[in-house]
Amino acid sequence: MRYIMKSGFLSEEGKILAEIKIPFSGNLKTVFLPDNGKSYEISVSDPSGMGDVRYKSYALTGSDGKVIVEGRPGYASEDDLNTIGWPAYRLPKTDHADIKIGSEKYVLTMHNSLNYSMKNSQGNTVLQVMHTEISGGWTIDAPDNFSPEIITGLFIFCRYIEQENEFIVG
């Protein structure tokens, strides 16, 4: 199925399926489904408090507190800290997240800040997120069995991966 994400709204053929709500402070986001009034929270946790993505996790959680989608970001293979150590003059690049939806495992990859894809454990592409440069917004191709909250959550995970590469100025 083809979806459009624009101005925080996920739509299909003009019908709004989900809305991203962002509070004024913190990194918690809410996905609201207008059809049934349900809300889901999306959060980033970093128990280390150090900003090292090896210790971070992303989560899409239902109102019952159950994690629906979990993501663990990772550094690009060429920036593997176990091989090259911490780069002296820059942050290592984050380019993917290992995703778990139920018992299924996927890899969400940032090709660049405008294009993302997700592959299943067999290596098949199941999700594509592409920026529509001229008109703004994003086109999302996702399977029929992904619900609006999952699609919206994965879109936010894409944006979180991109944010991992931003230089933080204190």
Side-chain angles (χ1 to χ4, degrees):
M1 299 291 293
R2 177 150 289 180
Y3 303 90
I4 302 295
M5 176 65 73
K6 194 168 187 175
S7 301
F9 292 94
L10 178 71
S11 63
E12 178 190 22
E13 297 178 358
K15 180 182 180 193
I16 294 175
L17 304 175
E19 177 185 359
I20 301 170
K21 295 187 176 194
I22 304 169
F24 289 111
S25 63
N27 60 8
L28 184 70
K29 293 178 174 43
T30 301
V31 175
F32 176 74
L33 304 182
D35 278 356
N36 60 19
K38 289 187 178 179
S39 292
Y40 301 83
E41 289 186 347
I42 300 177
S43 61
V44 177
S45 68
D46 181 5
S48 73
M50 298 173 48
D52 187 337
V53 300
R54 295 175 294 176
Y55 304 106
K56 287 188 177 183
S57 66
Y58 309 150
L60 169 66
T61 308
S63 58
D64 59 359
K66 181 180 173 191
V67 174
I68 299 166
V69 182
E70 183 178 20
R72 296 211 165 265
Y75 293 118
S77 59
E78 65 271 13
D79 277 353
D80 180 10
L81 300 182
N82 297 324
T83 305
I84 66 165
W86 197 272
Y89 300 106
R90 62 178 175 82
L91 294 172
K93 180 182 176 191
T94 302
D95 71 347
H96 71 280
D98 295 321
I99 302 293
K100 188 174 178 188
I101 304 172
S103 62
E104 297 293 320
K105 294 182 179 181
Y106 304 89
V107 175
L108 179 62
T109 302
M110 179 179 82
H111 303 287
N112 57 50
S113 62
L114 303 175
N115 295 291
Y116 303 81
S117 66
M118 189 170 77
K119 293 186 178 187
N120 62 16
S121 56
Q122 293 81 37
N124 299 318
T125 301
V126 295
L127 177 94
Q128 290 188 311
V129 178
M130 301 150 289
H131 190 265
T132 52
E133 295 180 41
I134 295 173
S135 61
W138 301 79
T139 300
I140 301 173
D141 292 329
D144 296 345
N145 63 330
F146 280 14
S147 62
E149 62 272 18
I150 289 175
I151 295 167
T152 306
L154 291 169
F155 171 78
I156 293 170
F157 287 6
C158 290
R159 307 303 288 160
Y160 282 160
I161 292 171
E162 184 179 345
Q163 289 174 8
E164 299 292 354
N165 295 306
E166 294 176 356
F167 184 69
I168 298 172
V169 178

